[in-house]
Amino acid sequence: MYNYYLVIVLAPLLAAVIAGLFGRRIGRSGAHSITIFAVAVSTALSFYVLYQMYWAGAQTENISVYTWAVTDGLRMEVGFLVDRLTALMMAVVTFVSLMVHVYTIGYMHDDDGYQRFFSYISLFTFSMLMLVMSNNFLQLFFGWEAVGLVSYLLIGFWFKRESAIFANLKAFLVNRVGDFGFILGISGVVMFTNSLDYAEVFSQADAIAGQSIEVFGGSPWNAMTVICILLFIGAMGKSAQAPLHVWLPDSMEGPTPISALIHAATMVTAGIFMVARMSPLYELSVTALGVVIVIGAITAFFMGLLGIVQNDIKRVIAYSTLSQLGYMTVALGASAYSAAIFHLMTHAFFKALLFLAAGSVIIAMHHEQDIRKMGGVRKYMPWTYITALIGSLALIGFPGTSGFFSKDLLIDAVKHSHWHETDQLIYWIAYLSVLLGVFVTALYSFRMFFLVFHGKERMDAETKSHLHESPWVVTVPLVLLAIPSAIIGWYTVTPVLFEGYFGDAIAVDASRNALAEIGREWHGSRALLIHSVRTPVLWLALAGAATAWFLYLKRPDIPETIKNKVEGLYNVLDRKYYFDDLWIKGFGGGGRRIGTFLWQKGDELLIDGAMVNGTANAVARLAGIMRQLQTGYLYTYAFAMIIGLTALLGWLTWLK
């Protein structure tokens, strides 16, 4: 298996190097052929690894590939930890990446940066695989930063657009805030264990939990709590949790395939994966779990509300991603790590599907992204319509779809979580957020769906005359993503959540194992489907979809009336709760104002003015005075010498 792992990781890297350095020689077809082939190989081998891990009973492998350095007993290595959690993530990452690679042939067909784009997305696949396959914190951090770097390159891919450059800079800087906490958390791990290896760190977890650290003088904190919160700050940046979420909606400035690959299915889930991987640490800090679940609840509900007022088709889906990441984070905080990863998997399929379906519409609409200028697209694009409908139904958790199983059981896990007994406030914040979020999700999802595919045609005549279904390289990936979006939940929910699929990869304290409690009453997928009619989740989802139908198809005049009635609330949502103002005008603008003050008062006035130019001016003035003493007469100089000699003799006499 060892050689398989190297091929899985290195094939996309090699393809990225060839497409990037030799793109002009191999041409467009050469660039997409070699990168698609490489990712296809990684995908096939990843599914083989998944088969070996689950069906063939292969054991977890912890392999050291290369030792980079050893310092005071601290080993810095490149290595692979391949267990069932890793195998699942490898399969998801490579499959979605393969679909995006094929889709890109059609979407980027006329772009001048065609070869460069394929190089970037293949490099991203390599970076994400390095992250999920790592067996130590050093490699985890490498993959973490590598996906951030490639994300920066991809968001600003159209570098001649000022908005794209602003968006990639915003993503880069906000993620640096999260990464500062992340690297401090890793430093804390090293300080207490002198190790970067997961297995070694986890074996010392109880010892860390028994120690304290003073963040502020005289205020000792539990060491495990500090480490877990710092690591979670990194996850907040990468997985776009409030208030470090502001970069993700703007990242839609990049080409649509990037939105599907990075900002829906893989990169943004890195933080979720990391917390699940670190479950042996988080289970030893209830305080850290409390921080995780509250941040997730706030993101799940309040970011979902923003999707209702968005008119850019990709930004609606982007805010949906924020909300769904919040759901996963809530599950992590409820110690339902398996439920979080299960929703991560299903979400990867249907969210990538929705982004690619949106891209298909954008291509047909000549890159128009305003849903208010669409409508009636269904009859022109039947394949895109059907797949978008499947993706939307999965997103709202319609019975039978993959999203139904993952979201319904996630909410149930929160309902049965230990917070119900230990902290009622946290419990109700989390449970009501994920429950009410179901209605909000259905409302904005079907608002977008109805405005794009149904109702009156609102596009101009020229756009309408060219409106047609996308080519097969676009529609085939849509169909292949729609299949798991529709049915994969039926076959995976029982083993993943109730039959111990993850094994030792995920640790849960018995007193907090909500999924175990649910599992006692588990009677299979069909029973859950029947039971769903008696739960509020289904009816909230149907109510949200029905409300969207009524407001945007039956009575489209009502939304404008509501907007005028609650203009203040609408402005708050339209301004995104003023988070952009906080980061851009507050922190960014404040930093620039401090810099300007230091430049004008410190640099110009003090350093240049008083010290550099002031010294020069003082010398010039003194020279001007001394110049007046130069008369040019010999007797004047003789007299001055006599005076000086007399003064010198007087001083020497005084010293004696």
Side-chain angles (χ1 to χ4, degrees):
M1 296 289 284
Y2 172 73
N3 292 329
Y4 293 149
Y5 305 149
L6 288 176
V7 173
I8 290 169
V9 169
L10 295 179
L13 175 62
L14 180 61
V17 171
I18 294 173
L21 297 181
F22 307 104
R24 291 186 178 181
R25 292 188 181 182
I26 63 178
R28 289 174 170 246
S29 61
H32 71 236
S33 296
I34 193 167
T35 52
I36 290 174
F37 174 75
V39 174
V41 169
S42 293
T43 303
L45 291 178
S46 294
F47 275 94
Y48 176 72
V49 171
L50 180 62
Y51 167 80
Q52 288 291 321
M53 283 290 163
Y54 181 62
W55 285 277
Q59 298 300 307
T60 296
E61 294 193 65
N62 191 348
I63 304 167
S64 176
V65 177
Y66 172 72
T67 299
W68 178 44
V70 179
T71 304
D72 294 330
L74 179 65
R75 300 181 66 86
M76 301 179 186
E77 298 179 329
V78 175
F80 300 139
L81 172 61
V82 182
D83 53 18
R84 290 183 176 184
L85 173 59
T86 305
L88 179 63
M89 291 297 296
M90 289 164 61
V92 170
V93 169
T94 53
F95 177 74
V96 172
S97 178
L98 179 60
M99 295 300 100
V100 170
H101 274 70
V102 175
Y103 177 93
T104 300
I105 297 174
Y107 192 89
M108 302 293 288
H109 182 266
D110 298 321
D111 198 280
D112 293 335
Y114 190 84
Q115 294 97 314
R116 178 165 58 94
F117 188 85
F118 273 97
S119 175
Y120 285 173
I121 58 177
S122 190
L123 183 61
F124 173 84
T125 306
F126 157 75
S127 302
M128 193 67 194
L129 286 170
M130 286 292 284
L131 189 157
V132 300
M133 295 175 68
S134 63
N135 71 345
N136 63 84
F137 285 92
L138 180 65
Q139 186 175 326
L140 173 69
F141 188 71
F142 166 78
W144 195 271
E145 293 303 307
V147 292
L149 171 62
V150 183
S151 173
Y152 171 83
L153 296 173
L154 287 168
I155 296 170
F157 182 80
W158 287 322
F159 53 83
K160 293 183 180 179
R161 293 184 183 179
E162 186 176 344
S163 57
I165 296 303
F166 178 81
N168 75 350
L169 181 61
K170 187 177 183 181
F172 182 82
L173 293 176
V174 172
N175 271 277
R176 296 293 69 73
V177 176
D179 291 352
F180 181 67
F182 189 56
I183 199 168
L184 285 177
I186 294 175
S187 300
V189 167
V190 173
M191 182 175 73
F192 284 100
T193 66
N194 194 41
S195 177
L196 289 164
D197 184 77
Y198 291 162
E200 177 64 24
V201 171
F202 294 160
S203 69
Q204 298 186 47
D206 289 329
I208 301 174
Q211 299 186 60
S212 62
I213 183 173
E214 289 192 8
V215 181
F216 305 103
S219 300
W221 283 48
N222 180 270
M224 186 62 78
T225 295
V226 173
I227 289 172
C228 289
I229 290 176
L230 288 172
L231 291 175
F232 180 64
I233 291 173
M236 288 170 63
K238 199 66 72 185
S239 293
Q241 296 297 288
L244 301 182
H245 67 281
V246 294
W247 65 272
L248 192 143
D250 283 9
S251 69
M252 298 302 111
E253 291 293 335
T256 299
I258 296 163
S259 303
L261 179 62
I262 300 179
H263 306 295
T266 51
M267 173 185 157
V268 293
T269 59
I272 307 299
F273 164 78
M274 184 274 292
V275 175
R277 173 63 80 195
M278 299 300 139
S279 59
L281 305 184
Y282 279 88
E283 282 301 287
L284 297 175
S285 176
V286 177
T287 302
L289 290 174
V291 172
V292 171
I293 196 170
V294 170
I295 293 294
I298 291 170
T299 305
F301 181 70
F302 289 100
M303 295 304 111
L305 289 176
L306 297 183
I308 300 172
V309 301
Q310 298 299 311
N311 296 310
D312 183 305
I313 186 170
K314 287 171 65 177
R315 285 181 179 264
V316 175
I317 305 173
Y319 280 106
S320 166
T321 299
L322 286 173
S323 180
Q324 296 308 305
L325 289 168
Y327 272 84
M328 299 174 209
T329 304
V330 168
L332 295 173
S335 294
Y337 305 98
S338 300
I341 297 298
F342 184 49
H343 194 51
L344 181 158
M345 178 190 72
T346 62
H347 174 264
F349 296 126
F350 62 71
K351 187 53 62 66
L353 171 61
L354 285 172
F355 267 118
L356 297 187
S360 179
V361 173
I362 291 169
I363 295 171
M365 295 289 295
H366 294 275
H367 293 277
E368 175 60 64
Q369 295 184 199
D370 192 333
I371 59 178
R372 295 170 297 183
K373 298 179 182 179
M374 300 180 186
V377 175
R378 174 184 58 171
K379 64 182 179 182
Y380 302 100
M381 307 182 72
W383 284 104
T384 301
Y385 170 77
I386 293 170
T387 53
L389 176 59
I390 292 172
S392 298
L393 291 173
L395 175 58
I396 71 169
F398 188 80
T401 62
S402 61
F404 161 74
F405 293 104
S406 61
K407 183 182 285 187
D408 197 90
L409 288 168
L410 187 156
I411 295 172
D412 211 22
V414 176
K415 180 181 178 182
H416 290 86
S417 71
H418 66 96
W419 294 109
H420 187 270
E421 303 295 333
T422 58
D423 194 314
Q424 285 285 308
L425 178 60
I426 290 179
Y427 171 78
W428 285 111
I429 289 174
Y431 183 59
L432 290 178
S433 293
V434 294
L435 195 61
L436 296 177
V438 173
F439 175 84
V440 174
T441 301
L443 178 57
Y444 66 66
S445 298
F446 275 88
R447 169 182 177 264
M448 178 187 70
F449 183 80
F450 290 141
L451 288 177
V452 172
F453 293 104
H454 290 269
K456 183 174 65 175
E457 297 174 359
R458 298 179 297 278
M459 69 286 292
D460 57 57
E462 183 179 356
T463 300
K464 183 177 178 180
S465 65
H466 295 94
L467 198 58
H468 60 81
E469 185 60 90
S470 298
W472 71 267
V473 289
V474 172
T475 55
V476 167
L478 293 180
V479 173
L480 293 178
L481 284 168
I483 293 170
S485 297
I487 67 173
I488 198 170
W490 287 93
Y491 305 102
T492 55
V493 60
T494 299
V496 170
L497 296 186
F498 303 113
E499 291 184 350
Y501 165 81
F502 291 109
D504 295 334
I506 289 176
V508 184
D509 189 285
S511 64
R512 292 194 286 269
N513 198 339
L515 288 174
E517 184 178 344
I518 298 170
R520 296 189 190 99
E521 302 296 328
W522 178 251
H523 300 293
S525 304
R526 192 181 301 275
L528 180 66
L529 191 68
I530 296 170
H531 176 70
S532 66
V533 298
R534 292 181 288 177
T535 65
V537 178
L538 171 63
W539 300 108
L540 284 169
L542 294 178
T547 302
W549 170 82
F550 180 75
L551 292 179
Y552 298 100
L553 287 183
K554 192 71 174 177
R555 292 289 307 275
D557 57 302
I558 293 180
E560 189 65 28
T561 303
I562 295 174
K563 174 184 171 181
N564 294 331
K565 292 285 187 182
V566 291
E567 187 175 0
L569 176 59
Y570 176 83
N571 288 334
V572 170
L573 297 177
D574 189 49
R575 296 292 295 274
K576 307 161 195 170
Y577 307 119
Y578 301 96
F579 274 114
D580 276 344
D581 292 333
L582 172 66
W583 285 105
I584 297 171
K585 296 180 180 178
F587 291 107
R592 288 193 298 273
R593 286 191 291 272
I594 292 172
T596 301
F597 173 81
L598 293 175
W599 161 53
Q600 292 178 340
K601 305 301 182 183
D603 196 21
E604 286 192 335
L605 185 62
L606 179 61
I607 298 175
D608 285 345
M611 297 173 66
V612 179
N613 295 331
T615 302
N617 292 335
V619 171
R621 286 194 294 271
L622 180 61
I625 295 171
M626 296 301 292
R627 190 165 51 244
Q628 302 302 319
L629 301 176
Q630 306 301 313
T631 64
Y633 295 111
L634 184 61
Y635 62 82
T636 303
Y637 300 139
F639 179 73
M641 291 172 64
I642 292 170
I643 295 297
L645 183 60
T646 302
L648 178 61
L649 289 173
W651 180 66
L652 291 173
T653 302
W654 179 78
L655 286 177
K656 291 182 179 180

